[in-house]
């Protein structure tokens, strides 16, 4: 502690800028970790909170995936003696079109019995209205709002709220206002309650419910209730406590959460290199100080503890600042995440506030501080090893010892060799990931050597470009590789991440483009929402005939695509008229014969699996798929596997007639519309909207609109890449500023001499700039190379471990083309302040240095 | 001496129990009609003294455990056409369906929902059921005057086969005309609803309370139902008391 106060504090004061920059590495890492994770957790918490609040006193919930089930299930459930209360529920989102208010989550219930499960705490004054369910039930336009939503929009009892329904845009009358708190806080307060039978019409549910909430008789345990319900209803129904929905949502967001976690952990990992660099530099700069301390009797342990103590303090301060900054990031990221999740999965979220988990913040603090300490381990060890006599020998320490270099190279070669050995054994996944890790280790071990070699290679062109400045800059890098290598390593890792992520984006986009071209080929799509992924409302089956009668329409393909759990994955079940689709869509076959696949599947003699699902659940041609449906188990063989990107976790294609029979659901999510030759899509759209638009909520999208929508979703998903580009840029700036500051400090006398013998300020400035550019170039070369390898591993992991999608390896030249100027610009920008400090320093002081 | 009193009381108990059931049976026999029709006027006074009014038309075919009843709301305008069908059974709880014309849907009122309030009144759905005498165990607990009329005080507990929100019902049956003057319904020994039957008149030979006042003792609100245009033993068709008839009548 005394050493920290007497030795470390003055050093920090003297090198305040660099200390701040060192800490900035941790700040950035922790901020991203906290920001991304908090945003992710906030979205999940908001969902769970909504589920919990809406569930009320329900102990169990009966669901059958997104498909819902027939009304008659309710009476069967109510007949069980274990059941105290069984309340049917429909949940859907509605857009009231109020500026800045977002969507309303409509909870549709049967008010005659729902109060046995949910507390409806109404405001005073409307007791006579809402406490009288008769008017509420008798009038299908009845709506209850929360006080928060009503207050925000100045809506009172009797006020009107309009939203699109399956019967066109309709006005609803507010007949009750829920008091704040409890259920009223669900969905960020944007909650509306209506009668379930009215909602069946409003949202096109036919005579179906989405789920039944269950209260058990006193003395009946959850297990007993679950067993009784499972026995009664069969395997097609899921019977889980309300928290089960939260778990399903989490599994739906699995890939997204994984991407967020990897990115944030990577940011922290990169921060570690910045700390390492700073401490490595600090050790070299403070050699004489260490020597004196050692000469005065300080033990090696005390020196090591001094540096580790410094890193712990820096880590603690950086982590605290990072947590604060991360919470600011989280506010922005939470909104972005919620928007993206809605576009991708159709799960609307109203994340009212960022959820701060003190436990996680402590974890982030510990991670930041721990990372800082780990990063300082090697510099601290090196500091402890310094002999007092060695401390007087300036300059020697910067050169990599031949032995050290050889050892690193040998270790790197060993790691690389092991990584290559792991490649053919990748089927055993731990070995695949070990190979990935070994590749990274090899790359990091080789960084100093490669940096040195690249600096040597760069010397000639730099000298050719600017004889004096170029040579001086290159020599600076060659003479002090350790000063540069950690910065290069940090830059390399962050750029590798960007290249890897960008590569995945490019590969996905190419596959998506191919899929869109072959599969999404109807002239137009008719959906109940502008977001094709959202299936809150559905069309009645009868609408198909109405559409077929529209002039210009050649063929209509009704599609219902609920999500359901299959082998533990949230897959999409696409039910349509497969013969029709087979005639219109040329499939990218993975296994099976397309003609027989379409024939058998359309005759209900088999199902078609997407390639990714087949890979994930290890099902092959001829294997039996077992689907638990409300009408019992549906067992059909796999008659073909195809490339399909409708769903990240895979798709099962089932003939519509079989779906209708087994799931007792004939509603439609999307109509695929093919036009007669020569028919104008715009004109037909106008006709459809004119004929049906007033009766129903519908969005008629032309093929190009859907393509644009898919492209938008992909952009949102890969928006993460842009965040990473920003991080890479910040890493570049931080690392380069740090390195150059030290470089200039180390070379004050050299630069002073240069100026004394007639060197121009512009030449010195140019030297610093060229050094920065060289660091940027070395980082770019190594980062792009590492990224190219990383991309291979990422694509393999996506195919075998995450979503089963086999993307072709495509190097992201576009991202690289963007990175080169960005990083060089960042490097030059980072050099401005150090360069100015180099030219503005006092010549006398510089010459007196040492 | 004390032992003698207890002995007398014990010997008298079966007689009293028998009497209680007989009294209830007699009360039901005297009130029995093949059918009934009336126009009801409801006045609900909330705990905040706010008053709301509704009216309905009621038809009933049969009596007690074998009856069917349809209630059609006639006012206010927002609820006009809403109907409730109650089919009583001698050996179990009734089946009930509600019809809402605006959405053209009928819905079954689940057994577990019978304890909830009947559309904002202080009656529960269960209170609309007609009680079969065999579904309860009776005990005569004494005599007491209600509004100066001497009454028997009888306790009724539902048998195990009967699903009821009430664990105990206490009733006061007038000695002069066997019309129940008052009911008190208990949940776990706490009184929750009190029904007072007033304005007793002889209609077509049947002594009938024309004013029913039910008080929700927990909410402190009360509902008064006045029976107007009351008729007994009118010709009604069985077919009119089905869910299909509810749909057809709209």
């Amino acid at each position: 502690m005394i050493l920290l106060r007497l030795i470390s504090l003055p050093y920090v004061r003297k090198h305040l800028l660099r200390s701040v920059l060192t800490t900035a590495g941790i700040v950035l890492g922790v901020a991203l970790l906290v920001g991304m994770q908090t945003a992710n957790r906030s979205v999940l918490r908001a969902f769970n909170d909504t589920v919990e609040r809406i569930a009320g006193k329900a102990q169990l919930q009966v669901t059958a995936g997104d498909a819902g089930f027939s009304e008659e299930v309710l009476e069967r459930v109510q007949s069980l003696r274990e059941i105290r209360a069984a309340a049917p529920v429909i949940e859907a989102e509605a857009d009231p079109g109020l500026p800045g208010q977002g969507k309303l989550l409509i909870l549709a219930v049967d008010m005659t019995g729902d109060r046995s499960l949910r507390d409806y705490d109404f405001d005073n004054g409307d007791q006579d209205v809402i406490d009288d369910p008769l008017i509420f039930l008798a009038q299908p336009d009845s709506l209850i709002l929360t006080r928060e939503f009503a207050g925000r929009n100045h809506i009172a009892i009797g006020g009107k709220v309009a939203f699109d329904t399956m019967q066109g845009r309709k006005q609803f009358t507010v007949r009750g206002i829920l008091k704040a708190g409890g259920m009223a806080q669900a969905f960020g307060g944007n909650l509306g309650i209506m009668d379930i039978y009215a909602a069946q019409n409003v949202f096109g549910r036919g005579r179906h419910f989405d789920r039944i909430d269950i209260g058990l008789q006193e003395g009946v345990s959850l297990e007993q209730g679950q067993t009784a319900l499972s026995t009664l209803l069969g395997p097609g129904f899921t019977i889980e406590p309300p928290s089960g929905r939260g778990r399903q949502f989490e599994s739906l967001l699995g890939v997204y959460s994984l991407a967020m976690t990897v990115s944030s952990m990577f940011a922290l990992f990169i921060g570690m290199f910045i700390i390492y660099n700073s401490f490595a530099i600090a050790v070299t700069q403070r050699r004489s100080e260490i020597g004196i301390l050692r000469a005065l009797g300080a033990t090696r342990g005390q020196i090591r503890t001094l540096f580790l103590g410094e890193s712990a303090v820096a880590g603690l301060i950086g982590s605290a600042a990072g947590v604060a900054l991360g919470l600011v990031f989280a506010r922005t990221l939470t909104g972005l995440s919620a928007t993206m999740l809605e576009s991708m999965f159709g799960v609307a979220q109203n994340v009212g506030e960022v959820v701060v988990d003190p436990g996680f913040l402590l974890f982030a603090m510990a991670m930041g501080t721990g990372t800082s300490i780990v990063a300082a381990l090697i510099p601290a060890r090196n500091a402890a090893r310094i002999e007092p006599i060695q401390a007087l020998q300036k300059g020697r320490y910067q050169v990599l010892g031949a032995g050290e270099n050889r050892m690193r190279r040998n270790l790197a070669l060993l790691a690389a060799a092991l990584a290559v050995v792991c490649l053919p054994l990748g089927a055993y996944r731990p070995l695949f990931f070990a190979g990935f890790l070994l590749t990274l280790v090899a790359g990091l071990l080789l960084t100093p050597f490669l940096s040195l070699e690249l600096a040597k290679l760069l010397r000639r062109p730099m000298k050719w470009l600017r004889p004096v400045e170029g040579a001086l800059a290159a020599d600076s890098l060659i003479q002090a590789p350790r000063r540069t290598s950690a910065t290069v390593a940090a830059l390399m890792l962050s750029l590798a991440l960007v290249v890897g992520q960008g590569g995945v984006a490019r590969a996905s986009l190419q596959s998506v483009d191919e899929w869109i071209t072959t599969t999404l080929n109807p002239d137009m799509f008719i959906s109940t929402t502008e977001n094709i992924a959202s299936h809150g409302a559905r069309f009645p089956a009868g609408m198909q005939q109405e559409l077929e009668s529209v002039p210009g329409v050649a063929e209509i393909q009704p599609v219902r695509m609920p999500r359901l759990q299959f082998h533990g994955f949230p897959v999409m079940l696409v039910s349509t008229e497969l013969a029709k689709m087979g005639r219109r869509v040329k499939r990218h076959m993975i296994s099976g014969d397309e003609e027989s696949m379409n024939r058998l599947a359309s005759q209900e003699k088999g199902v078609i699996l997407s390639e990714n699902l087949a890979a994930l659940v290890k099902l092959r041609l001829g294997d039996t798929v077992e689907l638990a449906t409300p009408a019992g188990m549906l067992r059909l063989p796999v008659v073909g596997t195809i490339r399909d990107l409708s769903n990240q976790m895979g798709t099962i294609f089932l003939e519509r007639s079989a779906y209708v029979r087994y799931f007792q659901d004939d509603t439609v999510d999307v109509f695929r519309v093919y036009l007669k030759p020569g028919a104008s899509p715009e004109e037909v759209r106008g006709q459809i909207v004119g004929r049906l638009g007033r009766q129903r909520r519908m969005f008629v999208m032309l093929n190009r609109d859907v393509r644009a929508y898919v492209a938008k979703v992909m952009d949102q998903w890969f928006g993460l890449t842009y965040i990473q580009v920003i991080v890479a840029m910040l890493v570049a700036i931080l690392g380069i500023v740090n390195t150059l500051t030290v470089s200039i400090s180390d070379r004050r006398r050299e630069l002073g001499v240069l100026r004394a013998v007639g060197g121009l300020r512009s030449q010195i400035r140019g030297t610093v700039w060229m050094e920065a550019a060289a660091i940027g170039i070395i980082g770019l070369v190594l980062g792009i190379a590492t990224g190219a390898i990383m991309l291979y591993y990422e694509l393999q992991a996506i195919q075998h471990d995450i979503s089963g999608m086999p993307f072709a390896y495509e190097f992201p030249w576009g991202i690289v083309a963007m990175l080169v100027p960005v990083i060089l610009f960042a490097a030059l920008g980072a050099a401005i302040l150090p360069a100015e400090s180099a030219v503005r320093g006092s010549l006398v002081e510089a010459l007196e240095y040492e | 001496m004390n032992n003698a009193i207890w002995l007398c009381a014990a010997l008298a108990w079966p007689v009293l129990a028998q009497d209680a059931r007989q009294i209830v049976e007699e009360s039901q026999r005297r009130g029995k009609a093949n059918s009934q029709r009336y126009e009801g006027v409801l006045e609900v006074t909330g705990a905040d003294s706010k008053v709301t009014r509704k009216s309905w038309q009621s038809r009933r075919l049969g009596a007690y455990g074998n009856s069917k009843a349809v209630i059609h709301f006639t006012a206010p305008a927002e609820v006009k056409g809403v109907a409730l069908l109650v089919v009583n059974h001698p050996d179990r709880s009734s089946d009930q369906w509600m019809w809402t014309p605006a959405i053209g849907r009928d819905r079954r009122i689940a057994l577990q929902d019978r304890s909830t309030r009947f559309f904002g009144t202080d009656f529960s759905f269960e209170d609309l059921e007609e009680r079969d005498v065999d579904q309860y165990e009776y005990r005569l607990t004494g005599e007491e005057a209600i509004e100066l009329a001497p009454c028997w005080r009888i306790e009724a507990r539902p048998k195990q086969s009967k699903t009821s929100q009430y664990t105990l019902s206490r009733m006061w049956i007038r000695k002069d005309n066997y019309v129940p003057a008052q009911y008190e319904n208990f949940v776990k020994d706490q009184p929750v609803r009190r029904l007072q039957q007033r304005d007793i008149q002889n209609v077509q030979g049947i002594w009938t309370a024309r004013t029913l006042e039910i008080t929700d003792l927990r909410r402190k609100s009360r509902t008064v139902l006045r029976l107007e245009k009351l008729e007994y033993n009118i010709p009604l068709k069985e077919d009119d008391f089905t869910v299909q008839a509810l749909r057809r009548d709209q």
Side-chain angles (χ1 to χ4, degrees):
Chain A
M1 201 62 195
I2 295 169
L3 283 179
L4 271 176
R5 187 160 53 84
L6 294 178
I7 309 294
S8 306
L9 201 58
Y11 179 81
V12 169
R13 278 190 189 137
K14 192 176 171 189
H15 301 94
L16 194 60
L17 176 66
R18 220 174 66 234
S19 302
V20 169
L21 290 174
T22 303
T23 317
I26 289 295
V27 175
L28 191 67
V30 172
L32 274 173
L33 180 70
V34 170
M36 286 182 162
Q37 291 295 318
T38 302
N40 204 17
R41 281 157 186 252
S42 297
V43 173
L44 279 174
R45 184 71 73 87
F47 182 84
N48 283 326
D49 187 61
T50 296
V51 167
E52 213 171 275
R53 288 179 187 280
I54 282 177
K57 287 175 256 177
Q59 293 158 285
L60 291 172
Q61 293 182 327
V62 177
T63 53
D66 279 357
F69 43 79
S70 159
E71 278 178 17
E72 56 87 23
V73 174
L74 178 65
E75 281 192 37
R76 289 167 63 200
V77 168
Q78 285 172 334
S79 68
L80 277 178
R81 61 184 171 78
E82 287 87 351
I83 305 301
R84 173 181 59 81
V89 176
I90 286 176
E91 263 181 40
E93 292 110 35
D95 187 356
L98 297 165
Q101 294 303 311
K103 290 189 174 171
L104 266 178
L105 175 68
I106 301 293
L107 175 72
V109 294
D110 184 352
M111 274 293 192
T112 58
D114 205 73
R115 291 185 192 199
S116 50
L117 285 182
R118 276 169 271 270
D119 287 328
Y120 293 87
D121 207 359
F122 297 111
D123 263 354
N124 293 332
D126 49 330
Q127 192 181 18
D128 59 322
V129 180
I130 199 54
D131 249 7
D132 179 353
L134 188 56
I135 292 177
F136 183 84
L137 296 175
Q139 298 296 317
D141 69 337
S142 299
L143 186 68
I144 298 169
L145 292 176
T146 65
R147 180 195 277 179
E148 190 185 339
F149 187 84
R152 278 204 309 262
N153 297 288
H154 312 292
I155 302 168
I157 295 285
K160 305 281 184 189
V161 174
F163 51 81
D164 289 324
T165 76
M166 295 318 297
Q167 302 149 322
R169 193 163 181 84
K170 288 213 161 182
Q171 284 213 322
F172 291 82
T173 306
V174 178
R175 293 207 160 85
I177 292 184
L178 282 175
K179 273 183 182 171
M183 189 166 72
Q185 278 177 299
F187 209 66
N190 283 19
L191 181 72
I193 293 163
M194 64 187 298
D195 176 46
I196 193 161
Y197 297 98
Q200 284 180 329
N201 294 336
V202 167
F203 298 108
R205 291 292 202 279
R207 291 210 160 197
H208 274 60
F209 299 135
D210 288 355
R211 67 166 198 270
I212 299 174
D213 286 356
I214 304 284
L216 297 170
Q217 293 284 9
E218 257 180 66
V220 176
S221 69
L222 279 184
E223 290 72 24
Q224 286 169 329
Q226 271 177 309
T227 308
L229 284 161
S230 298
T231 310
L232 176 81
L233 299 173
F237 292 83
T238 306
I239 294 122
E240 277 189 319
S243 57
R245 284 184 76 203
R247 281 198 297 275
Q248 284 175 25
F249 183 65
E250 275 187 53
S251 76
L252 189 67
L253 308 188
V255 179
Y256 170 75
S257 300
L258 184 70
M260 293 286 255
T261 306
V262 168
S263 296
S264 51
M265 293 308 285
F266 220 85
L268 204 58
F269 191 54
I270 291 164
M272 192 163 88
F273 283 86
I274 295 176
I275 296 268
Y276 167 78
N277 192 25
S278 298
F279 274 89
I281 289 162
V283 168
T284 58
Q285 282 195 326
R286 292 158 70 185
R287 285 172 70 250
S288 56
E289 197 178 88
I290 296 164
I292 293 165
L293 280 172
R294 292 278 286 119
L296 288 173
T299 62
R300 287 181 198 279
Q302 281 175 315
I303 299 296
R304 193 185 302 119
T305 311
L306 175 69
F307 277 90
L308 289 179
E310 280 183 24
S311 69
V313 171
L316 211 59
I317 294 169
S319 299
V323 164
L325 187 64
L327 292 177
V328 176
F329 282 177
R331 292 201 180 278
T332 313
L333 285 173
T334 302
L336 291 175
S337 292
T339 309
M340 199 186 78
L341 293 178
E342 188 181 350
S343 305
M344 288 189 71
F345 304 111
V347 187
Q349 285 298 303
N350 194 331
V351 191
E353 55 187 33
V354 170
V355 177
V356 179
D357 176 358
F360 175 71
L361 296 188
L362 278 176
F363 167 77
M365 290 278 291
M367 282 293 286
T369 312
T371 304
S372 179
I373 293 170
V374 168
L377 276 176
I378 295 173
R381 189 200 61 181
N382 291 343
R385 281 182 180 173
I386 292 172
E387 295 295 342
I389 191 84
Q390 193 190 2
L392 300 170
Q393 296 171 330
K394 181 172 166 54
R396 194 176 150 219
Y397 55 87
Q398 289 287 15
V399 184
L400 279 174
E404 192 181 354
N405 218 346
R406 198 180 310 116
M407 192 185 75
R408 277 171 183 268
R409 251 185 303 174
N410 289 343
L411 276 175
L413 285 173
L414 181 67
L418 285 173
V420 171
V421 169
C422 286
L423 272 179
L425 305 171
Y428 182 58
R429 302 315 287 164
L431 278 183
F432 167 80
F433 287 106
F436 180 31
L437 205 66
L438 284 166
T439 308
L440 279 183
V441 169
L444 288 171
L445 284 171
L446 282 175
T447 305
F449 167 73
L450 292 174
S451 301
L452 184 64
E453 294 305 312
L454 282 170
K456 285 177 188 169
L457 272 177
L458 280 172
R459 192 177 190 280
R460 192 182 292 264
M462 284 167 75
K463 193 178 171 191
W464 173 79
L465 204 62
R466 306 286 291 186
V468 178
E469 297 93 322
L472 281 172
D475 288 344
S476 167
L477 294 175
I478 291 165
Q479 282 163 20
R482 189 169 281 169
R483 193 169 60 206
T484 322
S485 60
T487 294
V488 169
L491 195 51
M492 176 184 87
L493 281 176
S494 61
L495 291 176
L497 181 69
V498 178
V499 171
Q501 189 78 15
V504 172
R506 186 180 154 87
S508 319
L509 280 172
Q510 282 209 336
S511 299
V512 167
D513 194 52
E514 180 199 319
W515 170 68
I516 287 178
T517 308
T518 56
T519 310
L520 296 188
N521 64 359
D523 297 297
M524 58 180 72
F525 297 80
I526 303 176
S527 168
T528 54
T529 59
E530 67 273 51
N531 169 3
I532 299 171
S534 173
H535 311 145
R538 295 173 213 150
F539 295 120
M543 194 173 145
Q544 183 174 354
Q545 284 181 328
E546 294 176 74
L547 288 168
E548 279 166 348
S549 69
V550 174
V553 170
E555 185 174 294
I556 300 290
Q557 294 173 0
V559 184
R560 175 86 175 94
M561 39 192 184
R563 280 179 206 281
L564 47 87
Q565 290 287 317
F566 181 68
H567 288 239
F569 294 102
V571 305
M572 188 181 274
L573 179 68
V574 173
S575 76
T576 186
E577 294 168 8
L578 290 170
K580 276 188 186 174
M581 192 176 268
R583 282 196 294 273
R584 295 276 184 178
V585 174
K586 175 80 185 143
R587 291 292 190 178
H588 182 137
M589 295 299 297
I590 303 301
S591 70
D593 163 64
E594 188 169 11
E595 188 276 326
S596 59
M597 175 187 82
N598 285 330
R599 180 170 42 79
L600 291 170
S602 62
Q603 291 170 356
E604 300 185 16
K605 290 179 180 165
V607 290
I608 303 168
L609 295 194
S610 67
E611 176 188 20
N612 59 330
L613 181 62
L616 278 180
V617 299
K618 298 184 173 48
L619 281 173
R620 292 178 186 177
L621 203 65
D623 288 351
T624 302
V625 165
E626 291 195 340
L627 288 174
T629 78
M633 286 305 285
L634 170 60
R635 291 184 181 86
L636 286 172
V638 178
V639 291
T641 54
I642 56 170
R643 179 154 299 169
D644 184 86
L645 307 177
S646 311
N647 185 38
Q648 276 188 347
M649 288 296 178
T651 313
I652 300 170
F653 291 85
L654 175 67
E655 176 59 30
R656 179 165 165 80
S657 53
Y659 173 81
V660 171
R661 205 167 58 252
Y662 276 89
F663 287 86
Q664 294 149 6
D665 169 24
D666 67 351
T667 57
V668 177
D669 291 316
V670 176
F671 285 106
R672 293 159 59 96
V673 183
Y674 290 92
L675 303 183
K676 286 178 182 160
S680 153
E682 281 78 9
E683 273 180 29
V684 176
R685 171 157 72 176
Q687 292 251 18
I688 291 172
V689 172
R691 283 189 182 199
L692 305 170
R694 283 191 192 160
Q695 306 159 27
R696 294 203 173 89
R697 151 169 140 167
M698 56 193 283
F699 292 83
V700 184
M701 288 171 278
L702 301 183
N703 190 288
R704 63 166 182 270
D705 301 332
V706 173
R707 282 166 178 262
Y709 170 80
V710 175
K712 190 185 94 181
V713 172
M714 294 299 286
D715 274 353
Q716 284 174 341
W717 175 246
F718 293 108
L720 220 55
T721 309
Y722 300 113
I723 295 177
Q724 286 163 350
V725 171
I726 293 169
V727 172
M729 233 172 70
L730 287 172
V731 165
I733 292 168
L734 278 176
I736 291 170
V737 168
N738 210 346
T739 305
L740 290 181
T741 309
V742 175
S743 167
I744 288 156
S745 171
D746 279 356
R747 292 155 58 209
R748 277 181 76 189
R749 183 178 166 82
E750 183 187 317
L751 295 170
V753 170
L754 195 66
R755 279 173 60 197
V757 298
L760 300 171
R761 281 175 190 264
S762 61
Q763 283 178 314
I764 293 170
R765 200 178 277 126
T767 304
V768 178
W769 284 3
M770 288 192 85
E771 190 175 338
I775 294 171
I777 290 168
I778 295 168
L780 273 167
V781 171
L782 296 183
I784 290 165
T786 313
I789 298 167
M790 221 161 125
L791 174 58
Y792 166 78
Y793 282 98
E794 282 187 35
L795 292 174
Q796 290 291 311
I798 287 171
Q799 183 177 356
H800 298 287
D801 304 291
I802 301 174
S803 73
M805 290 196 183
F807 295 136
Y809 187 99
E810 289 283 340
F811 191 75
W813 293 109
I815 294 276
V816 169
M818 180 185 73
L819 278 177
V820 171
V822 165
I823 295 301
L824 288 179
F825 182 75
L828 291 173
I832 291 173
L833 275 179
E836 290 312 301
S837 113
V839 297
R840 292 195 195 284
S842 156
L843 191 57
V844 178
E845 271 181 30
L847 292 174
E848 277 176 1
Y849 186 69
E850 297 180 45
Chain B
M1 183 61 190
N2 277 345
N3 285 345
I5 292 170
W6 279 114
L7 185 62
C8 288
L11 288 171
W13 164 245
V15 179
L16 284 175
Q18 184 62 30
D19 283 351
R21 185 186 161 90
Q22 282 173 352
I23 293 164
V24 176
E25 273 179 338
E26 180 60 18
S27 169
Q28 290 201 349
R29 192 192 65 75
R30 290 186 182 212
K32 193 168 178 176
N34 291 331
S35 61
Q36 182 203 54
R37 185 166 60 199
Y38 70 85
E39 285 179 12
V41 178
L42 271 172
E43 201 173 85
V44 184
T45 308
D48 54 357
S49 302
K50 198 170 174 180
V51 179
T52 53
R53 289 180 184 83
K54 288 187 185 77
S55 54
W56 71 44
Q57 200 176 59
S58 168
R59 288 173 293 154
R60 192 193 75 209
L61 183 66
Y64 302 107
N66 284 309
S67 65
K68 293 173 180 177
V70 172
I71 291 170
H72 273 110
F73 284 88
T74 51
E78 299 103 301
V79 301
K80 191 174 177 184
V82 174
L84 183 81
L85 169 67
V86 182
V87 177
N88 292 298
H89 304 289
D91 53 347
R92 59 190 163 93
S93 300
S94 65
D95 290 316
Q96 298 183 0
W97 290 267
M98 179 192 179
W99 170 260
T100 37
I103 50 172
R105 285 297 313 268
D106 53 84
R107 70 183 80 198
R108 195 170 188 276
I109 309 293
L111 199 59
Q112 65 217 13
D113 300 333
R114 303 292 166 81
S115 59
T116 55
R117 295 172 68 207
F118 174 65
F119 302 140
T121 68
D122 291 290
F123 292 101
S124 69
F125 282 91
E126 187 186 344
D127 295 330
L128 302 182
E129 290 179 1
E130 291 201 309
R131 298 170 175 201
D132 187 85
V133 74
D134 288 332
Q135 291 184 353
Y136 293 84
E137 307 270 9
Y138 298 96
R139 190 161 73 95
L140 184 61
T141 58
E143 295 177 3
E144 197 176 332
I146 297 288
E147 292 180 351
L148 303 174
C151 296
W152 288 293
R153 193 177 65 216
I154 294 169
E155 282 187 359
R157 289 182 191 273
K159 289 182 179 172
Q160 272 207 326
S161 57
K162 164 76 181 165
T163 306
S164 174
Q165 63 184 304
Y166 304 124
T167 49
L168 168 73
S169 290
R170 193 173 285 163
M171 60 181 87
W172 286 260
I173 296 176
R174 281 173 65 144
K175 289 183 170 181
D176 55 352
N177 53 20
Y178 281 80
V179 173
Q182 182 171 297
Y183 290 90
E184 259 184 16
N185 293 320
F186 291 71
V187 174
K188 292 178 182 168
D189 299 328
Q190 289 293 312
V192 292
R193 282 194 181 89
R194 179 183 299 128
L195 173 66
Q196 291 164 302
Q197 305 207 117
R198 300 196 186 107
D199 190 15
I200 294 165
Q201 294 174 13
N202 191 319
V203 180
Q204 295 172 247
I206 297 172
W207 287 99
T208 314
R210 303 291 297 262
T211 302
L212 281 66
E213 180 176 325
I214 190 158
T215 307
D216 188 323
L217 300 170
R218 289 177 295 198
R219 291 170 52 86
K220 305 202 187 312
S221 58
R222 67 191 167 89
T223 298
V224 176
L225 170 65
R226 288 189 183 83
L227 276 56
E228 294 174 0
K229 298 182 184 172
L230 176 64
E231 294 173 279
Y232 285 114
N233 297 319
I234 42 155
L236 292 175
K237 285 189 286 184
E238 185 89 22
D239 285 355
D240 291 338
F241 296 86
T242 60
V243 178
Q244 291 74 17
L246 290 182
R247 296 178 193 145
R248 190 186 60 214
D249 288 353
Q250 300 311 309

